[in-house]
Amino acid sequence: MDTSTIISIKELPPEENMLPGTAACAGCGGLLTLRYCLKALGDKIIIVNAAGCFTLLTIYPFSPFRNSWLYTAMACAPAGAQGVRDALDILIKKGKLDPEENLKVVVLSGDGSAYDMALSSTSGAIYRNLDFYYICYDNEAYGNTGFQHSGASPFGSRTGTTPPGKEVPVGSQLQKKNLFDIWNSHKPPYIATVSPAYPVDLMNKFKKAEQFKGPKLFISHIPCPPGWGFDPSRSVRLAKLSVETGLWPLKESVHGEVEHTYVPKRFKPVEEYLKEQERFSHLFKPVRQEDALKSIQEMVDEYWKKHEFLP
């Protein structure tokens, strides 16, 4: 892939490496992210897919992918990637595979796997410096089985297992895990957060990652129409609002050094993002939960103050 930086959406590669007509939900932000990721990676890849929403994309004998695809359980996609990488390396060493035909190994995972079930095997893969790409589509819950709470579910959200009620009106009382920092503590060569609303930023991050051998992570914050509760036509708008309110910082880390790749000129109030989703509606009616709303805004402000983008 040409590693020069692009500046416009008109410069995105025209080739499509994922065919239309999948079983994904209408307006799935993850599907849009995956389409951009595959434009960046090309078709010479092997996808190791942890169980999740995207397991539904390939149902024998149908597949939207132009490349090979391997299904694994939620906890072991990185281990599967290790096996695939080892097999490719052995074939090249024995002269049975031309190094020019070497394939990229890509793990595809939802947040339930990436933040929770597969964290142990992922840590092991990073520790072994496995040469692979890891794409996490983060819709902040176990979306494929009833939108249950995951380690990525944010404070104040309604999930299948954290319904707001008389005893706990706020919904989820836990804060979202910081997967970026968990990975960064291992000091892999490259980590990035991305968004389907910022495809140029996404594409340039894959271009930069191309130069590094070892573990490379891309976490995409993705709107989920049925889980979050909004009209599918507003998926990209919500993805953009999560960035413009400061809730989803776009950043990257190269060997542990973190830089933000986009900072809004003026941060919008987090309420603009929260109000558009049914999963946060209990924070506004029948009674506004001022303490919870204030806590969410303060959490965002503290992050940007820490990085000196707010006074």
Side-chain angles (χ1 to χ4, degrees):
M1 181 170 65
D2 179 7
T3 57
S4 57
T5 301
I6 65 172
I7 58 174
S8 166
I9 196 169
K10 295 179 180 177
E11 299 176 58
L12 295 181
E15 296 82 10
E16 297 289 353
N17 294 312
M18 189 173 66
L19 303 174
T22 72
C25 301
C28 174
L31 197 62
L32 184 56
T33 285
L34 182 58
R35 178 186 166 214
Y36 291 136
C37 291
L38 295 187
K39 276 178 174 285
L41 288 167
D43 60 355
K44 292 186 176 181
I45 62 174
I46 296 176
I47 291 179
V48 183
N49 197 158
C53 291
F54 283 177
T55 305
L56 302 176
L57 298 182
T58 297
I59 301 175
Y60 183 82
F62 305 105
S63 173
F65 300 120
R66 295 184 184 277
N67 53 274
S68 299
W69 180 87
L70 172 68
Y71 168 75
T72 73
M74 293 188 79
C76 56
Q82 179 77 62
V84 172
R85 184 66 263 166
D86 289 349
L88 290 170
D89 290 342
I90 289 170
L91 288 173
I92 292 173
K93 187 175 182 179
K94 289 186 174 180
K96 296 183 177 180
L97 178 67
D98 188 334
E100 293 291 321
E101 297 183 26
N102 192 13
L103 302 173
K104 297 170 185 169
V105 181
V106 180
V107 164
L108 182 59
S109 159
D111 54 276
S113 176
Y115 284 71
D116 295 333
M117 291 193 197
L119 205 49
S120 174
S121 62
T122 303
S123 177
I126 306 170
Y127 181 67
R128 296 190 300 272
N129 199 36
L130 175 63
D131 186 24
F132 75 132
Y133 292 78
Y134 194 120
I135 299 170
C136 170
Y137 53 100
D138 179 1
N139 70 346
E140 304 187 319
Y142 287 83
N144 191 33
T145 52
F147 209 72
Q148 298 95 338
H149 190 278
S150 83
S153 299
F155 170 79
S157 65
R158 177 204 307 268
T159 72
T161 45
T162 60
K166 186 176 180 181
E167 297 296 326
V168 188
V170 74
S172 174
Q173 297 175 286
L174 300 175
Q175 299 287 350
K176 184 184 179 89
K177 287 183 190 175
N178 192 330
L179 186 63
F180 186 96
D181 281 359
I182 292 172
W183 265 71
N184 209 29
S185 67
H186 293 70
K187 298 292 188 294
Y190 192 78
I191 313 171
T193 57
V194 297
S195 166
Y198 294 82
V200 173
D201 177 81
L202 182 154
M203 186 65 62
N204 283 327
K205 285 171 174 169
F206 272 92
K207 281 173 170 280
K208 180 177 281 189
E210 180 91 355
Q211 65 185 293
F212 300 113
K213 187 174 183 180
K216 298 168 276 285
L217 169 69
F218 298 83
I219 321 170
S220 181
H221 192 226
I222 62 160
C224 171
W228 293 12
F230 65 89
D231 189 281
S233 66
R234 303 177 76 77
S235 188
V236 173
R237 170 180 165 74
L238 270 175
K240 191 166 187 178
L241 268 178
S242 73
V243 174
E244 296 293 330
T245 56
L247 273 161
W248 187 250
L250 292 178
K251 57 187 177 181
E252 64 184 3
S253 170
V254 178
H255 293 298
E257 295 296 322
V258 179
E259 288 191 6
H260 290 82
T261 56
Y262 174 78
V263 179
K265 292 180 180 176
R266 184 183 68 82
F267 290 94
K268 294 181 178 178
V270 292
E271 283 195 30
E272 288 193 28
Y273 168 78
L274 302 175
K275 277 182 174 177
E276 300 216 10
Q277 304 169 57
E278 181 61 30
R279 66 174 175 156
F280 292 113
S281 62
H282 57 283
L283 300 180
F284 299 96
K285 58 184 180 183
V287 179
R288 276 179 64 92
Q289 298 192 46
E290 295 293 354
D291 288 346
L293 292 169
K294 182 181 177 185
S295 175
I296 296 171
Q297 184 65 66
E298 287 178 347
M299 177 195 69
V300 173
D301 293 345
E302 285 173 9
Y303 173 87
W304 291 102
K305 286 177 181 175
K306 176 184 173 184
H307 292 280
E308 301 181 344
F309 289 104
L310 279 179

